[in-house]
Every structure is written in C-alpha cells, then in structure tokens.
Amino acid sequence: MSEQVLLGDEAVALGAVHAGLTAAYAYPGTPSTEIVEYLIRYAARHGGVQASWSTNEKTAYEAALGVSFAGRRALVAMKHVGLNVAADPFMNSVIVDISGGLVVVVADDPGMHSSQNEQDTRYYADFARTMCLEPANAQEAYEMTRSAFELSEQFHIPVVLRLVTRLAHSRGVVRVGDTRAQNPLRMPRDRSAWTLLPANARRLWRELLDRQQDLRAYTSRQGENRLELADSRLGVVTCGIARNYYEENRGDLPFQPSHLHIGAYPMPIDLLRKLVAHVEAVLVLEDGYPFVERALRGVLPPDKEIRGKQTGTIPPDGELTPDIVRVGLGLQVRQGVAAPPIPVPQRPPQLCAGCPHIDTFNTLLKATEGLHARVTSDIGCYTLGALPPYNAVDSCVCMGASIGMARGAADAGFHPAIAVIGDSTFLHSGITPLLDAIVADTNMTLIIADNEVVAMTGGQPSAIPSSRMEPLLKGLGVRPDHLHILETHPRLVDRNAEILRREIEHDGLSVIVTVRECIETARDKTKKKAHA
Ligand code: SF4
C-alpha cells in the first residue's frame, strides 16, 4: 500500500491499471479527458497498457468491446454527452456475454461547466439494465474502478462508473494497492453470445433480465451502499458525491437522521424499503436528475413525505453544494467572511489572441456582408464565434450537427446556409452528414476550421493531420472545383473572403478548409523544443 495525491480522473486511471487493464480508449471531453491523458503518460513511461484517443466515443467504445471480446480488460472514458454517441454499442454490449472486464467511465457535468446539458448517466445504465457505480471521492474512484472490472466479469456486463465534474477534477489522497496481472487472451466461452441475431438476442436478453435479481442482490448488501438507521424523524439518502456535502453539515443538526448512502445501482430497493419503513420523511440528495427521488415516489405510500428536487427542497438544476444541502436539511446558511470588494474587470469568454479562428470568422463576416446568412456551428473553441465581436453563429447543438442542420436549413429555403465545424469535430461526427449533403449536392457551404488539434480539451491530436483532409474530402465525393484548402491569416482575409463569397454564390455544395495551427498548441511545441 502507498499513497498518492490524484485527481478523481487519475484515480480511475490508476485503479484501472492496477486492476489489470490491457487497453483504454476515449475521445477527449471535459471533465473526463484526464483519464486517458494519464493512461497515455503511464503507458509511455511504464509500458504494459495501451491507451489512445479515438475518432469518437462510438469507435472508442467498440475498440474497448473488442478487447473484452478477446478476454482482456478494457476501459472506455467519455463525458456524459459522449454516451449519446456511443449509445448504440453501449446498449447492445449489455446483452452480449462480456468476457474480459469492460468499464465504461462516464463523467457527468451537473452545472454545465463545459457542456450543453446536464443529462444523468444513471438513467442510461438503468435503461440498458446494467450496473452503475458512483464514487464519492478519489479513494472510492480508485477502489470502485477496481471493483467494476471484477463485477463486469462476474455478471458478464459492462459496468458504468459515473463521475461528476467536482469529483473528476478534485484532488485527494488515495491509498493504492498492488497491480493485478492482465487476463490472458481467450476466446469467448460462447460465440453465439456475441452474435446478436434475433434468435440469439432474444435468449441473451432473457438471460440479462434473469440476472437482474443477482445485480439487485449485490446492491442490496452493505458495501458500496450503506444503511444506518438512527433517528426516525428524517431519513437522508445521499448518492455519490452528495455524501460529502451531507457529512459537512450533519454535525450541526439537532438530531442524527437515519442515512442511506447509494454508491451502486440498480437501486438498492431493500435498503430503501428499510429506511422508509423507519422514518417519517425522506430527503434525497443527488447530483444530476432526481433519479432516486422519482423512483421513490413510485413505490412509497402517499402519506410518506419525500423531499428533494421535485419538491423544490433542492434546486432542480445545477450542481449540489454544501450550502444547498444545508438549506435542504433545514439549517441556517452559514455566514461567510465578507470579502473586501475587489474591482475585477469583466472577462467574457473569447478566442485567444492570435487564434486562427479569428481570421476564419473575419473571412466569414466579410464574405457574407449584405447577405442574410444563416450559420450553423458546432462544438469547439469556434463556438465562441456566437459571441461579440463576431456574433457570426446562429446555432450549436451537438457534435456534427452543424452540417446536417445547414443541409436541412438549405432544404427549407435558407440561403446562404453555412456550416462551421472544426477539424476534430468534423472527423468525430461530421463525415456522415457531409456524405448526405454530397449525395444531394445541397446548396450550402461548409467551412472546416482546421487548427490541427482538439484545442478545447487541451490540444490532443486530431484523428488525421491536416495534410490528409483534402484527399479525405475528395474521396468522400466533394467536387474538386468547389473544394478549397486555404491558409488562414489576417493578411489573407480579403483573398479568402472573395473565394468564400464565390462559393456561397455557387448553386450546390462547396467546402472550404481554413488551415492554421492553434496558437496555444504551437506555443507549447516551441516551449517543449526549447526545453528538449
Ligand atoms: S485554444 Fe487554440 S483554437 Fe482555441 S481559442 Fe485558443 S488559439 Fe484558438
């Protein structure tokens, strides 16, 4: 046993290595990025495990599934909305007979610090009929990752590990154990259990449903879930990280409520029943959606009071905090020390000085002067083109949506319809909607702002270098006479705007790739060279 100070994400990564991980895959996404970043560094230093970035969460998931198929242990990591992209293999992989342990780490972002929604991964795990573990601190993140591999192999299912931003990005002291040897390569015990033809799938689905009682038996024992029966006036249910906020306030209460902590799902129905039978009222503290609260409302007698997000005792949106929990427990808000007023200038988010996207947006604004252009955008630094001084973007919904939406907007009659997408987002989810637009020769213009990296999450490499973008686009079927690869630079804005304007006037699909490396990545490279 030794101790290390680790981020929640890093504790997951090290827990996986110590559990005998063979390979890990991910597409970067805040707040999960540091898991595979840690594993890539670990693999470079120590060898033994493979860790790499994938083109998107679906391809990452499928690679991890292949490792499990070969009998070895795999981890796939993503942010919560990434699971939407990987939902197809995820839902189906719960039905197959998982061989090597498969752990699906999903980092939710309550409070939307860097996301477009607050979706709660516990629903996905429940929807797929699989198990979900929810650590409360970095130590549990480490331990639960190790357990998740064991449970995956015990029950032959992928096991979800749900993190939230506050845990993924907090550091804590973690006691770490020994490293387990990797599994040997082995054939699945039943090949038909990996081939989801309807006849096989019907049998496997039935078997999965039969296994639910084993999963519930596991979560109803005292382990990750813990029940302490105390005062009967109130029962507090905490889920994952909410336990810390409760513990911080518990000592100030005039009595000690009964307490059920949930760190493993399916819902521990027996423990919930015992708690509810013992208390007059229940307060549910959970980050994300009212997942447990809603389940309780369905099973409790109507005279039993339940307090939580649905009653307004806890705000229905945003992150939990110790003070929110304090108010939910009926305690007075603590008075903080009044900080002396410091005049802090407003700093709205903006593109870095010298960012190549600045030149792309200046080009776009110049080319569309006098036109009623509709610009659908995508997820990346360039989404900031929606804000002043550019105000150049009308939408940003999900990865890759810019292209499909521009196609639909053009079909509906908008002209010019222009999509702006970064190179890594294009490779992640933009290729298939572009194929649709190519097939239909949609009257739209696509701008791929190619800065050569996944800039927003810290400069991870794009799936392919810029030099391969042109052959890729030609190979997809973009007409060479309406495909332009343009260096972007302040001195080239006028020239590029002329080309873009011509292509906007073309009655059909045009693709413009504006290329220059992210200035932050370029600076990092220069620094590294200087220190080499
Ligand atoms: S990180 Fe790179 S791409 Fe993002 S705003 Fe800064 S310079 Fe532009």
Side-chain angles (χ1 to χ4, degrees):
M1 277 275 182
S2 64
E3 289 187 344
Q4 296 194 28
V5 177
L6 298 170
L7 284 179
D9 276 350
E10 294 170 343
V12 168
L14 193 58
V17 171
H18 289 173
L21 179 78
T22 291
Y25 307 89
Y27 181 79
T30 310
S32 67
T33 310
E34 289 82 355
I35 298 170
V36 164
E37 274 191 337
Y38 183 94
L39 288 168
I40 289 172
R41 286 198 305 273
Y42 184 94
R45 268 188 220 138
H46 306 284
V49 297
Q50 294 181 52
S52 54
W53 300 116
S54 302
T55 306
N56 65 32
E57 293 83 355
K58 181 175 186 290
T59 63
Y61 198 103
E62 288 156 354
L65 192 57
V67 175
S68 167
F69 176 77
R72 296 192 144 162
R73 292 187 165 185
L75 177 145
V76 57
M78 61 198 76
K79 67 183 293 171
H80 58 325
V81 286
L83 189 51
N84 300 334
V85 179
D88 199 2
F90 170 64
M91 294 298 294
N92 294 321
S93 68
V94 182
I95 300 174
V96 305
D97 184 45
I98 286 295
S99 181
L102 176 58
V103 175
V104 186
V105 188
V106 187
D108 289 359
D109 190 16
M112 293 184 264
H113 297 282
S114 57
S115 309
Q116 64 271 49
N117 75 30
E118 286 198 345
Q119 72 185 53
D120 186 327
T121 296
R122 293 176 298 170
Y123 280 93
Y124 254 121
D126 186 60
F127 184 31
R129 296 286 185 269
T130 195
M131 187 174 257
C132 175
L133 302 183
E134 190 180 10
N137 53 41
Q139 182 69 46
E140 285 189 5
Y142 173 84
E143 288 166 6
M144 285 189 179
T145 304
R146 297 191 70 143
S147 312
F149 282 104
E150 298 296 331
L151 292 165
S152 174
E153 290 178 4
Q154 180 182 343
F155 295 114
H156 301 282
I157 47 172
V159 172
V160 174
L161 187 79
R162 180 202 189 216
L163 305 179
V164 291
T165 307
R166 198 62 54 180
L167 170 55
H169 285 174
S170 313
R171 282 187 196 281
V173 176
V174 179
R175 286 181 312 284
V176 303
D178 298 332
T179 304
R180 174 192 179 277
Q182 292 185 22
N183 287 349
L185 198 61
R186 61 177 179 232
M187 284 298 290
R189 53 185 186 168
D190 171 9
R191 273 173 55 207
S192 71
W194 280 83
T195 310
L196 296 181
L197 290 165
N200 294 340
R202 280 194 285 272
R203 170 177 63 83
L204 293 163
W205 172 238
R206 184 69 249 172
E207 287 173 10
L208 176 65
L209 295 179
D210 290 344
R211 245 175 295 152
Q212 296 300 304
Q213 61 189 20
D214 301 333
L215 304 188
R216 279 196 296 271
Y218 177 87
T219 59
S220 287
R221 79 198 214 309
Q222 295 275 49
E224 289 88 355
N225 301 332
R226 286 190 294 283
L227 174 64
E228 296 163 16
L229 293 180
D231 199 293
S232 61
R233 279 172 280 177
L234 181 67
V236 177
V237 179
T238 57
C239 304
I241 198 168
R243 191 183 72 216
N244 305 329
Y245 307 144
Y246 173 57
E247 297 293 353
E248 193 170 325
N249 288 299
R250 178 181 191 155
D252 294 342
L253 287 167
F255 62 94
Q256 289 307 294
S258 296
H259 178 207
L260 171 61
H261 177 69
I262 301 181
Y265 308 81
M267 206 82 77
I269 299 293
D270 292 348
L271 298 181
L272 277 165
R273 283 209 180 103
K274 279 185 195 155
L275 175 78
V276 165
H278 182 72
V279 298
E280 292 160 23
V282 179
L283 172 67
V284 185
L285 302 173
E286 52 192 329
D287 229 348
Y289 289 8
F291 178 71
V292 172
E293 185 185 345
R294 285 180 67 182
L296 273 181
R297 283 184 197 286
V299 295
L300 289 195
D303 60 336
K304 198 69 93 168
E305 188 189 0
I306 307 166
R307 299 177 211 147
K309 295 189 173 209
Q310 288 193 230
T311 56
T313 314
I314 303 292
D317 61 342
E319 264 186 314
L320 281 183
T321 65
D323 283 343
I324 286 174
V325 168
R326 199 172 171 80
V327 173
L329 288 165
L331 292 167
Q332 287 289 318
V333 176
R334 273 181 291 229
Q335 290 306 314
V337 179
I342 305 170
V344 180
Q346 291 287 308
R347 291 183 58 205
Q350 53 185 290
L351 296 166
C352 306
C355 172
H357 298 324
I358 293 174
D359 306 321
T360 298
F361 282 118
N362 284 335
T363 300
L364 173 63
L365 291 172
K366 194 161 188 67
T368 53
E369 262 168 18
L371 302 175
H372 295 292
R374 292 289 176 269
V375 179
T376 55
S377 186
D378 230 291
I379 296 184
C381 294
Y382 50 89
T383 316
L384 294 172
L387 303 180
Y390 311 103
N391 301 312
V393 163
D394 300 307
S395 78
C396 166
V397 178
C398 66
M399 297 286 278
S402 59
I403 302 177
M405 283 183 66
R407 179 176 172 226
D411 288 349
F414 270 149
H415 184 74
I418 301 172
V420 178
I421 191 168
D423 51 322
S424 62
T425 309
F426 171 69
L427 297 167
H428 176 287
S429 291
I431 293 176
T432 40
L434 178 60
L435 263 181
D436 290 340
I438 290 167
V439 170
D441 195 21
T442 302
N443 189 9
M444 61 175 270
T445 307
L446 167 62
I447 299 173
I448 301 176
D450 185 350
N451 61 5
E452 304 182 20
V453 287
V454 192
M456 199 168 63
T457 50
Q460 295 79 19
S462 284
I464 59 168
S466 296
S467 57
R468 288 169 64 186
M469 191 63 86
E470 183 175 1
L472 171 69
L473 292 165
K474 284 183 176 160
L476 286 171
V478 177
R479 283 176 51 181
D481 48 338
H482 294 289
L483 170 62
H484 302 268
I485 311 293
L486 304 175
E487 185 195 348
T488 183
H489 192 275
R491 70 182 145 73
L492 296 172
V493 165
D494 289 348
R495 181 206 70 175
N496 291 350
E498 262 175 48
I499 297 169
L500 178 57
R501 179 77 176 216
R502 264 205 316 275
E503 291 304 337
I504 287 171
E505 284 161 4
H506 162 63
D507 185 15
L509 176 71
S510 310
V511 178
I512 308 273
V513 185
T514 56
V515 188
R516 200 174 86 234
E517 189 177 14
C518 158
I519 198 152
E520 288 298 319
T521 318
R523 265 193 209 125
D524 280 354
K525 279 189 196 160
T526 313
K527 271 190 214 151
K528 276 183 193 142
K529 263 192 206 153
H531 289 105

Short mmCIF file of all heavy atoms in Angstrom, two decimals, residues 245-275:
data_model
loop_
_atom_site.label_atom_id
_atom_site.label_comp_id
_atom_site.label_asym_id
_atom_site.label_seq_id
_atom_site.Cartn_x
_atom_site.Cartn_y
_atom_site.Cartn_z
N TYR A 245 -21.24 16.46 1.06
CA TYR A 245 -21.94 17.69 1.45
C TYR A 245 -22.81 17.44 2.68
O TYR A 245 -22.96 18.30 3.54
CB TYR A 245 -22.80 18.21 0.29
CG TYR A 245 -22.04 18.36 -1.02
CD1 TYR A 245 -22.65 18.09 -2.23
CD2 TYR A 245 -20.71 18.79 -1.02
CE1 TYR A 245 -21.96 18.23 -3.43
CE2 TYR A 245 -20.01 18.93 -2.21
CZ TYR A 245 -20.64 18.64 -3.41
OH TYR A 245 -19.96 18.78 -4.58
N TYR A 246 -23.39 16.24 2.75
CA TYR A 246 -24.21 15.89 3.90
C TYR A 246 -23.32 15.78 5.15
O TYR A 246 -23.63 16.34 6.20
CB TYR A 246 -24.94 14.59 3.63
CG TYR A 246 -25.68 14.05 4.84
CD1 TYR A 246 -26.64 14.84 5.48
CD2 TYR A 246 -25.41 12.79 5.34
CE1 TYR A 246 -27.31 14.36 6.61
CE2 TYR A 246 -26.08 12.31 6.46
CZ TYR A 246 -27.02 13.10 7.08
OH TYR A 246 -27.69 12.64 8.19
N GLU A 247 -22.18 15.08 5.01
CA GLU A 247 -21.29 14.90 6.16
C GLU A 247 -20.82 16.25 6.69
O GLU A 247 -20.64 16.43 7.89
CB GLU A 247 -20.05 14.06 5.77
CG GLU A 247 -20.36 12.63 5.34
CD GLU A 247 -20.89 11.75 6.46
OE1 GLU A 247 -20.92 12.20 7.60
OE2 GLU A 247 -21.31 10.61 6.16
N GLU A 248 -20.63 17.22 5.76
CA GLU A 248 -20.14 18.52 6.18
C GLU A 248 -21.15 19.24 7.08
O GLU A 248 -20.77 20.05 7.92
CB GLU A 248 -19.84 19.36 4.92
CG GLU A 248 -19.05 20.60 5.22
CD GLU A 248 -18.55 21.29 3.97
OE1 GLU A 248 -18.21 20.60 2.98
OE2 GLU A 248 -18.50 22.54 3.97
N ASN A 249 -22.42 18.94 6.91
CA ASN A 249 -23.47 19.64 7.66
C ASN A 249 -24.08 18.82 8.79
O ASN A 249 -24.76 19.37 9.65
CB ASN A 249 -24.59 20.04 6.69
CG ASN A 249 -24.16 21.17 5.77
OD1 ASN A 249 -23.85 22.26 6.25
ND2 ASN A 249 -24.13 20.92 4.48
N ARG A 250 -23.85 17.52 8.75
CA ARG A 250 -24.56 16.61 9.65
C ARG A 250 -24.35 16.97 11.13
O ARG A 250 -25.29 16.93 11.93
CB ARG A 250 -24.01 15.21 9.35
CG ARG A 250 -24.53 14.11 10.15
CD ARG A 250 -23.82 12.83 9.68
NE ARG A 250 -24.45 11.68 10.24
CZ ARG A 250 -24.44 10.47 9.71
NH1 ARG A 250 -23.79 10.25 8.59
NH2 ARG A 250 -25.05 9.48 10.29
N GLY A 251 -23.14 17.37 11.50
CA GLY A 251 -22.82 17.66 12.90
C GLY A 251 -23.61 18.83 13.46
O GLY A 251 -23.74 18.98 14.68
N ASP A 252 -24.14 19.70 12.59
CA ASP A 252 -24.88 20.87 13.07
C ASP A 252 -26.36 20.57 13.28
O ASP A 252 -27.11 21.43 13.74
CB ASP A 252 -24.77 22.01 12.05
CG ASP A 252 -23.34 22.51 11.95
OD1 ASP A 252 -22.55 22.23 12.87
OD2 ASP A 252 -23.00 23.17 10.94
N LEU A 253 -26.80 19.37 12.90
CA LEU A 253 -28.22 19.05 13.06
C LEU A 253 -28.53 18.75 14.53
O LEU A 253 -27.69 18.19 15.24
CB LEU A 253 -28.58 17.83 12.22
CG LEU A 253 -28.65 18.06 10.70
CD1 LEU A 253 -28.70 16.73 9.96
CD2 LEU A 253 -29.86 18.91 10.34
N PRO A 254 -29.75 19.09 14.99
CA PRO A 254 -30.10 18.84 16.39
C PRO A 254 -30.32 17.34 16.67
O PRO A 254 -30.39 16.93 17.81
CB PRO A 254 -31.41 19.61 16.57
CG PRO A 254 -31.96 19.80 15.21
CD PRO A 254 -30.80 19.83 14.27
N PHE A 255 -30.42 16.52 15.64
CA PHE A 255 -30.55 15.07 15.82
C PHE A 255 -29.85 14.38 14.65
O PHE A 255 -29.55 15.03 13.64
CB PHE A 255 -32.04 14.65 15.88
CG PHE A 255 -32.79 14.96 14.61
CD1 PHE A 255 -32.92 14.00 13.62
CD2 PHE A 255 -33.35 16.22 14.39
CE1 PHE A 255 -33.60 14.27 12.44
CE2 PHE A 255 -34.03 16.50 13.22
CZ PHE A 255 -34.16 15.53 12.24
N GLN A 256 -29.54 13.13 14.77
CA GLN A 256 -28.84 12.41 13.72
C GLN A 256 -29.83 11.61 12.88
O GLN A 256 -30.36 10.58 13.34
CB GLN A 256 -27.77 11.50 14.31
CG GLN A 256 -26.59 12.28 14.87
CD GLN A 256 -26.02 13.25 13.84
OE1 GLN A 256 -25.49 12.84 12.82
NE2 GLN A 256 -26.14 14.56 14.08
N PRO A 257 -30.15 12.07 11.68
CA PRO A 257 -31.11 11.35 10.85
C PRO A 257 -30.61 9.95 10.49
O PRO A 257 -29.41 9.68 10.53
CB PRO A 257 -31.20 12.21 9.59
CG PRO A 257 -30.58 13.50 9.91
CD PRO A 257 -29.58 13.23 10.99
N SER A 258 -31.52 9.10 10.12
CA SER A 258 -31.13 7.83 9.51
C SER A 258 -30.54 8.14 8.13
O SER A 258 -30.89 9.16 7.51
CB SER A 258 -32.35 6.92 9.38
OG SER A 258 -32.83 6.61 10.67
N HIS A 259 -29.67 7.28 7.66
CA HIS A 259 -28.91 7.63 6.44
C HIS A 259 -28.70 6.41 5.56
O HIS A 259 -28.23 5.38 6.03
CB HIS A 259 -27.55 8.22 6.86
CG HIS A 259 -26.66 8.58 5.70
ND1 HIS A 259 -25.29 8.59 5.79
CD2 HIS A 259 -26.94 8.93 4.43
CE1 HIS A 259 -24.77 8.93 4.64
NE2 HIS A 259 -25.74 9.15 3.79
N LEU A 260 -29.06 6.55 4.30
CA LEU A 260 -28.71 5.53 3.31
C LEU A 260 -27.81 6.18 2.27
O LEU A 260 -28.20 7.16 1.64
CB LEU A 260 -29.97 4.98 2.62
CG LEU A 260 -29.71 4.07 1.41
CD1 LEU A 260 -28.92 2.83 1.81
CD2 LEU A 260 -31.02 3.67 0.73
N HIS A 261 -26.61 5.64 2.13
CA HIS A 261 -25.74 6.12 1.05
C HIS A 261 -25.80 5.14 -0.11
O HIS A 261 -25.65 3.93 0.09
CB HIS A 261 -24.30 6.28 1.52
CG HIS A 261 -23.42 6.71 0.39
ND1 HIS A 261 -23.51 7.97 -0.18
CD2 HIS A 261 -22.48 6.04 -0.34
CE1 HIS A 261 -22.66 8.05 -1.19
NE2 HIS A 261 -22.03 6.89 -1.32
N ILE A 262 -25.99 5.69 -1.32
CA ILE A 262 -26.03 4.84 -2.51
C ILE A 262 -24.79 5.11 -3.37
O ILE A 262 -24.56 6.24 -3.81
CB ILE A 262 -27.31 5.09 -3.34
CG1 ILE A 262 -28.55 4.81 -2.47
CG2 ILE A 262 -27.32 4.22 -4.60
CD1 ILE A 262 -29.88 5.01 -3.19
N GLY A 263 -24.00 4.07 -3.58
CA GLY A 263 -22.84 4.17 -4.47
C GLY A 263 -22.89 3.12 -5.57
O GLY A 263 -21.98 3.01 -6.37
N ALA A 264 -23.97 2.31 -5.56
CA ALA A 264 -24.10 1.27 -6.60
C ALA A 264 -25.56 1.09 -6.97
O ALA A 264 -26.44 1.09 -6.10
CB ALA A 264 -23.51 -0.05 -6.09
N TYR A 265 -25.81 0.96 -8.26
CA TYR A 265 -27.15 0.74 -8.80
C TYR A 265 -27.09 -0.54 -9.63
O TYR A 265 -26.04 -0.82 -10.17
CB TYR A 265 -27.58 1.91 -9.71
CG TYR A 265 -27.43 3.26 -9.07
CD1 TYR A 265 -26.19 3.90 -9.02
CD2 TYR A 265 -28.52 3.91 -8.51
CE1 TYR A 265 -26.04 5.14 -8.44
CE2 TYR A 265 -28.38 5.17 -7.92
CZ TYR A 265 -27.14 5.77 -7.90
OH TYR A 265 -27.00 7.01 -7.31
N PRO A 266 -28.17 -1.33 -9.81
CA PRO A 266 -29.56 -0.96 -9.69
C PRO A 266 -29.92 -0.53 -8.26
O PRO A 266 -29.27 -0.91 -7.29
CB PRO A 266 -30.33 -2.23 -10.04
CG PRO A 266 -29.33 -3.18 -10.60
CD PRO A 266 -27.99 -2.71 -10.22
N MET A 267 -30.97 0.25 -8.19
CA MET A 267 -31.43 0.84 -6.94
C MET A 267 -31.50 -0.23 -5.84
O MET A 267 -32.08 -1.30 -6.06
CB MET A 267 -32.83 1.39 -7.19
CG MET A 267 -33.19 2.51 -6.30
SD MET A 267 -32.52 4.03 -6.92
CE MET A 267 -33.65 4.40 -8.25
N PRO A 268 -30.93 0.04 -4.67
CA PRO A 268 -30.99 -0.95 -3.57
C PRO A 268 -32.38 -0.90 -2.91
O PRO A 268 -32.56 -0.31 -1.84
CB PRO A 268 -29.89 -0.47 -2.63
CG PRO A 268 -29.79 1.00 -2.87
CD PRO A 268 -30.17 1.24 -4.31
N ILE A 269 -33.31 -1.55 -3.56
CA ILE A 269 -34.71 -1.44 -3.15
C ILE A 269 -34.92 -1.88 -1.70
O ILE A 269 -35.62 -1.21 -0.93
CB ILE A 269 -35.61 -2.31 -4.08
CG1 ILE A 269 -35.50 -1.83 -5.53
CG2 ILE A 269 -37.06 -2.29 -3.63
CD1 ILE A 269 -36.05 -0.47 -5.80
N ASP A 270 -34.27 -3.00 -1.30
CA ASP A 270 -34.48 -3.48 0.06
C ASP A 270 -33.99 -2.47 1.10
O ASP A 270 -34.65 -2.24 2.12
CB ASP A 270 -33.76 -4.82 0.28
CG ASP A 270 -34.41 -5.93 -0.54
OD1 ASP A 270 -35.52 -5.69 -1.06
OD2 ASP A 270 -33.80 -7.01 -0.66
N LEU A 271 -32.84 -1.88 0.83
CA LEU A 271 -32.30 -0.89 1.79
C LEU A 271 -33.20 0.34 1.84
O LEU A 271 -33.45 0.90 2.91
CB LEU A 271 -30.87 -0.50 1.40
CG LEU A 271 -29.82 -1.62 1.40
CD1 LEU A 271 -28.45 -1.08 1.02
CD2 LEU A 271 -29.76 -2.30 2.76
N LEU A 272 -33.70 0.75 0.67
CA LEU A 272 -34.61 1.91 0.64
C LEU A 272 -35.88 1.59 1.44
O LEU A 272 -36.37 2.43 2.20
CB LEU A 272 -34.98 2.25 -0.81
CG LEU A 272 -33.97 3.11 -1.56
CD1 LEU A 272 -34.24 3.08 -3.05
CD2 LEU A 272 -33.99 4.55 -1.06
N ARG A 273 -36.39 0.36 1.26
CA ARG A 273 -37.62 0.00 1.99
C ARG A 273 -37.38 0.04 3.50
O ARG A 273 -38.22 0.54 4.25
CB ARG A 273 -38.06 -1.41 1.59
CG ARG A 273 -38.72 -1.45 0.23
CD ARG A 273 -39.75 -2.59 0.16
NE ARG A 273 -40.36 -2.58 -1.16
CZ ARG A 273 -40.06 -3.42 -2.13
NH1 ARG A 273 -39.18 -4.37 -1.93
NH2 ARG A 273 -40.65 -3.32 -3.31
N LYS A 274 -36.21 -0.48 3.91
CA LYS A 274 -35.91 -0.49 5.36
C LYS A 274 -35.83 0.94 5.89
O LYS A 274 -36.34 1.25 6.96
CB LYS A 274 -34.57 -1.20 5.61
CG LYS A 274 -34.68 -2.70 5.62
CD LYS A 274 -33.35 -3.32 6.00
CE LYS A 274 -33.36 -4.80 5.64
NZ LYS A 274 -32.06 -5.36 5.40
N LEU A 275 -35.18 1.80 5.11
CA LEU A 275 -35.06 3.19 5.56
C LEU A 275 -36.43 3.84 5.68
O LEU A 275 -36.77 4.44 6.69
CB LEU A 275 -34.19 3.98 4.56
CG LEU A 275 -34.09 5.48 4.87
CD1 LEU A 275 -33.10 5.73 6.01
CD2 LEU A 275 -33.66 6.28 3.63
#
